[in-house]
Amino acid sequence: MSVPDYLQCAEDHQTVLVVVQPVGIVPEDQFFKIYKRIAGVSQVSIRDSQRLLYIRYRHHYLPENNEWGDFQTHRKVVGLIAITTCGSDKEWPQTAERFHGQKEVYGSTLYDSRLLVFGLTGDIAEQQRTDVAFYPGFEDCPDVEKRVEDFVESIFIVLESKRLDRATDKSGDKIPLLCVPFEKKDFVGLDTDSRHYKKRCQGRMRKHVGDLCLQAGMLQDALVHYHMAVELLRGVNDFLWLGAALEGLCSASVIFHYPGGTAGKTAGRKPSVSQPADAGKRHRPGAQEVLIDPGALTANGISADTSAEIGRAKNCLSPEDIIDKYKEAISYYGKYKNAGVIELEACVKAVRVLAIQKRAREASDFLQNAVYINLGQLSEEEKIQRYSILSELYELIGFHRKSAFFKRVAAMQCVAPTIPEPGWRACYKLLLETLPGYSLSLDPKDFSKGTHRGWAAVQMRLLHELVYASRRMGNPGLSVRHLSFLLQTMLDFLSDQEKKEVTQSLENYTAKCPGGMEVITLPDGLKLPPVPFTKLPIVRSVKLLNLPVSLRPHKVKGLLGQNMSTASPFIYSPIIMHNRGEERCKKIDFQWVQGDVCEVQLMVYNPMPYELRVENMGLLTSGVEFESLPAALSLPAESGLYPVTLVGVPRTAGNITVNGYHTSVFGVTSDCLLESLPSVKSSGCLVEVIPSLPRLQLSTSLPRSAHTPQPMSKEELSSTVSVQLFNGETQQVTITLENIGSVEIETLELTSKVVSTKEKVFGEFLSWELEDALSHLPLKPGQAVTLTVSIKVKLDFSGQENLLQDLNDDGISVTGLPISSPLRQVLKPRSESKPMSSEGNKIDCDRKEREARLGEAEPESDGLRRSAGEKVLLRLSEGWEKAKLVGSTTCEHCGCTLKTGGSSFSPPESSAEQKQP
């Protein structure tokens, strides 16, 4: 026997083996449909008896294993059910001949057989036969189960007769010596009359009768016979059969203690007379375990005879003794090279019992022994089956990592070099089943919680094997997904050289099949979620930026009424609920404008040891229609926090939420959501987008000033131009207003303001006419309108004693030409222009000459300052200078008489020809 049955368990010792096989040409799907119905009859209650007969079905069984039927009777094929198709009466003789040929294969051990014929109608089908059943078709066979039950009852009759025949003590007859196949040659020429030989024959027969009793449902008799066989065989050192007797004793005890069975996934067995329910057990400390048979109770509830139950309890092994006897039996099997299959199956049975007893460490010892059992030359298919069963058994006792190891070995065996056609699909499927044992999940969300579980080196090796297997399967998209997962989740454990190798492999794969964010569904239904590259690059913070000052929208008071709908009652609550998600998505206090470019700043970090190129990086938003303008990045190797600004244009108004960003790295497109990045700092990602506003550009005919004052309020924009005028002089200033936006300008207001803290300036200096400019409204995009503003200087020096000193020190600032409108403005200063006239240059030279005489220079003019409107700074003309005189004196330049301590001065009559400033 070379092929072990890894599905065997202790309770299989009480089953009878029935083989179900097709004869001739039978459709595979139809055969297994009938086989499933037959296998449903797994236990049959025998009429006129309180016993149950258990059946074990196989659709494939090696005839060589049948030769071990005397050693353990549950290995003997005692029943055969053949399934065949027959279309006409002419085909029937050939079909019957095939059936008889099939019976001859197992003829030495068969108790009974049946043939199920499908498709034959007519005279032959109407004949009543015991061993043949005719059906018109595979769909029209309602009594298959009933015929199988009758067939099982006939097997029981034969089994019972053999048990009675073997159990009867015929002292005058010579007991035959039962042998296993490899022993027959060893007993040739032995003295059959020796006492040692007779005791061996008796011991083996007792063990054989115990097997028959166990199959026939007589558990008490089986225990007695096993005990007697153990004593006889131990005395003659017949170790192989002693191990079998000990294993039979263990099996009977397991059936008694665990009536639900030890097979694990298989359905539990029904309690019976020989296999009582757990409810019949009564446990008392220090007391022998006694089972009350429900069928032995009388009408008044008192047990008529408990001798059988008491005897069964005495002969039955305790749960601890069961394992000890299993160990002893396995040690005896190990003495025989040809009993490797028996030894391996005994280890498997013991492991299943220990799994129920929750004794995992002892079970692992049995499995470790099973690994090293040499079964000779196994085929690759048998090796795969062996490692797979070992994996399942380790999983059964809770050794998940060991289970994953053997399943991985089985996967590698599927693609061994000796296999002509490697099974890469089977290899890939087995590798996927090993993931839980290595604490590995293919969902990247499980790795975003911070703590890493499992051995990273083993996990990386397994992921590499998944990549290679999927490539050999001819599925490059699957390879890209696994390689992306490896790079994303194991980045912290990769060396610099490994990072380069993985990314190079990923680029090679994505050249043929780019990676995306779609869910990949495998043939067995497993779904692989997308893998966003949140670590390439790593984003530390996200900040929404306000619009530039010239583009920020402001509510203009008096033009926009108070929106009462936004008002809400204030409700005080001492409970403060902190929610990171709500803080991240809270509304920001500024607004964006529809159609204007908006910016979001990210602080990113490149963890790779080489330059990282991000080909396509943009924003992911929701709420309004948003056009993201992608950016291409090139981050230095292992750079620190690097600012990256992503831009886009909202196309509709409303509330917009920045949900994350998308990237394209190494040919893999990723959608990275902020909610899945707990380490990202954000001051908010929700902002209001208001409808489009007009954009106004203002320019004047005056030159720019060198000084730029701060705006007077946040609603105003300042731009400064400069002009110098004499007292009483008038100058025309041209202001050009151009609509550079996409919305029409409908209204225009012009106001002026005088900025003077010392109240030295009186009267209005600015005047204009708006009728011509208003006639061009509404001002369409691209159009411009001009208006003229007159500046006339009016200064009153009367009653001001220190006027000259103050004016020289500070000058006078007059604010004019403020453009006040509910619409936004963009002030674009004109370039520097040349001096206004050549006469001004001459005056400036005269002034410097007079300053040289007085020995004191006049401070330079501050020029023209711009605030919300235009600030015009006027200086006194150069004709009057300050001086500190005692009494009175005469000015050398013009002859004026100046008095100190007075409040006025008058020019001399003779100086009328001098130029009056």
Side-chain angles (χ1 to χ4, degrees), residues 577-595:
M577 303 298 292
H578 291 285
N579 189 313
R580 184 178 182 88
E582 292 180 359
E583 289 181 2
R584 178 174 292 170
C585 293
K586 69 181 181 181
K587 197 169 184 179
I588 302 177
D589 58 356
F590 57 78
Q591 292 84 30
W592 284 350
V593 179
Q594 174 186 346

Side-chain angles (χ1 to χ4, degrees), residues 470-521:
S470 57
R471 183 176 71 85
R472 294 299 299 269
M473 285 167 53
N475 194 337
L478 206 54
S479 301
V480 171
R481 179 58 52 86
H482 289 311
L483 206 53
S484 301
F485 182 84
L486 169 64
L487 188 60
Q488 168 68 19
T489 59
M490 302 294 168
L491 186 64
D492 298 336
F493 304 100
L494 293 172
S495 64
D496 290 350
Q497 182 62 28
E498 289 173 337
K499 289 178 182 179
K500 293 180 181 179
E501 293 174 355
V502 171
T503 54
Q504 185 176 1
S505 299
L506 184 58
E507 288 179 330
N508 294 335
Y509 284 132
T510 54
K512 301 176 182 178
C513 181
M517 294 297 292
E518 69 279 357
V519 176
I520 298 179
T521 303

Side-chain angles (χ1 to χ4, degrees), residues 418-434:
T418 56
I419 298 179
E421 294 183 2
W424 287 105
R425 292 189 179 277
C427 173
Y428 180 80
K429 184 176 183 299
L430 288 173
L431 286 176
L432 285 179
E433 295 175 2
T434 66

Side-chain angles (χ1 to χ4, degrees), residues 300-316:
N300 58 5
I302 301 175
S303 177
D305 183 11
T306 60
S307 59
E309 287 72 27
I310 294 174
R312 184 183 306 161
K314 288 182 179 179
N315 294 320
C316 184

